[in-house]
Amino acid sequence: MTDFAEIKLSNAQIAWRAAQDIEDGAYVNLGIGFPEMVAQYQVEGREAIYHTENGVLNFGAAPAEGEEDWDLINAGKKAITLKDGAAFFHHADSFAMVRGGHLDVAILGAFQVAQNGDLANWSTGKGVPAVGGAMDLVHGAKRVAVVTDHVTKKGDPKLVAECTMPLTGVGCVTRVYTSLAVIDIEDGHFVLREKLPQISLEKLQAVTGGELKVQGTVADLIVPEL
């Protein structure tokens, strides 16, 4: 398997790219772990209202080290700050917001994404699984995006023709931001929108488990050094 370690985007750069597509005024839920980084790269001049399943709306950046208030945490148990107008509510009310279709965007991590939009991100089949709120988010949010490395640590594709791991949701993902490309899912196909200029379409296809469709011009995936 081809090694792209020298050219692939870092997690921070993937998060930056995903942040560019969050519209002004959007209500956004970020998955635990890597997706939480997206909030660090909010586009200047736009306001995103971040939601966390444990019951906070409109939280802000992480506090400086030593200034944490551990009564203020997100669903990943990380310290947060509050923006003006932030609100607290019961866990059940938080999930009612998710299930009621009040979130514009959910950005999650993934073990596998299938070309029909199926998502597997909660269990590898080993150990004790913990799905959390992911199953609610992928069918409650108006748009579901994934941030992920393009391949596993073993070099196997994470974008596949069909998921082999337990599913989180069926036909729910619409866009994937990877370490090599930005790919939309349309009509059961991976549609390539952007790719790193250093990688050819042929090499990208070789590390993608489903066929990459090209519609019009594929833009260069350009991100800042972070």
Side-chain angles (χ1 to χ4, degrees):
M1 189 66 70
T2 306
D3 183 7
F4 297 108
E6 296 300 319
I7 64 168
K8 74 175 187 176
L9 301 184
S10 65
N11 283 359
Q13 289 173 314
I14 300 170
W16 178 91
R17 177 60 190 85
Q20 308 313 297
D21 290 341
I22 297 176
E23 296 180 348
D24 186 35
Y27 289 84
V28 184
N29 184 286
L30 303 175
I32 293 171
F34 168 23
E36 293 174 333
M37 297 179 69
V38 173
Q40 299 177 30
Y41 302 108
Q42 184 171 314
V43 177
E44 187 175 356
R46 296 184 200 169
E47 180 183 16
I49 299 93
Y50 289 104
H51 165 276
T52 178
E53 295 115 276
N54 60 318
V56 184
L57 189 66
N58 205 24
F59 64 88
E65 187 173 354
E67 297 182 9
E68 300 91 347
D69 178 347
W70 292 108
D71 286 329
L72 299 177
I73 60 171
N74 62 19
K77 300 182 177 64
K78 295 183 177 66
I80 57 174
T81 58
L82 301 178
K83 294 182 179 179
D84 291 343
F88 301 94
F89 33 86
H90 190 278
H91 197 80
D93 294 323
S94 181
F95 273 86
M97 294 170 70
V98 175
R99 295 167 183 166
H102 301 291
L103 294 181
D104 296 300
V105 187
I107 301 178
L108 307 170
F111 295 133
Q112 291 179 325
V113 180
Q115 60 189 2
N116 67 345
D118 290 355
L119 172 66
N121 83 338
W122 70 281
S123 174
T124 60
K126 300 178 181 178
V128 179
V131 67
M135 287 184 177
D136 297 276
L137 285 166
V138 298
H139 292 299
K142 296 172 186 174
R143 180 170 74 86
V144 177
V146 163
V147 288
T148 181
D149 204 334
H150 203 89
V151 298
T152 69
K153 292 180 180 179
K154 294 182 179 179
D156 297 323
K158 297 186 76 170
L159 277 64
V160 295
E162 184 175 346
C163 290
T164 57
M165 294 180 179
L167 293 184
T168 307
V170 175
C172 54
V173 179
T174 56
R175 173 163 278 202
V176 186
Y177 303 90
T178 84
S179 51
L180 302 176
V182 176
I183 296 168
D184 284 338
I185 295 176
E186 297 180 357
D187 299 323
H189 300 288
F190 291 132
V191 180
L192 181 62
R193 299 301 185 194
E194 302 174 19
K195 68 175 183 64
L196 292 179
Q198 305 96 315
I199 183 174
S200 68
L201 176 58
E202 291 73 24
K203 288 185 177 180
L204 184 63
Q205 180 63 76
V207 291
T208 305
E211 181 184 0
L212 289 171
K213 299 281 188 178
V214 174
Q215 298 176 356
T217 303
V218 176
D220 287 340
L221 175 52
I222 304 296
V223 302
E225 294 291 336
L226 297 171

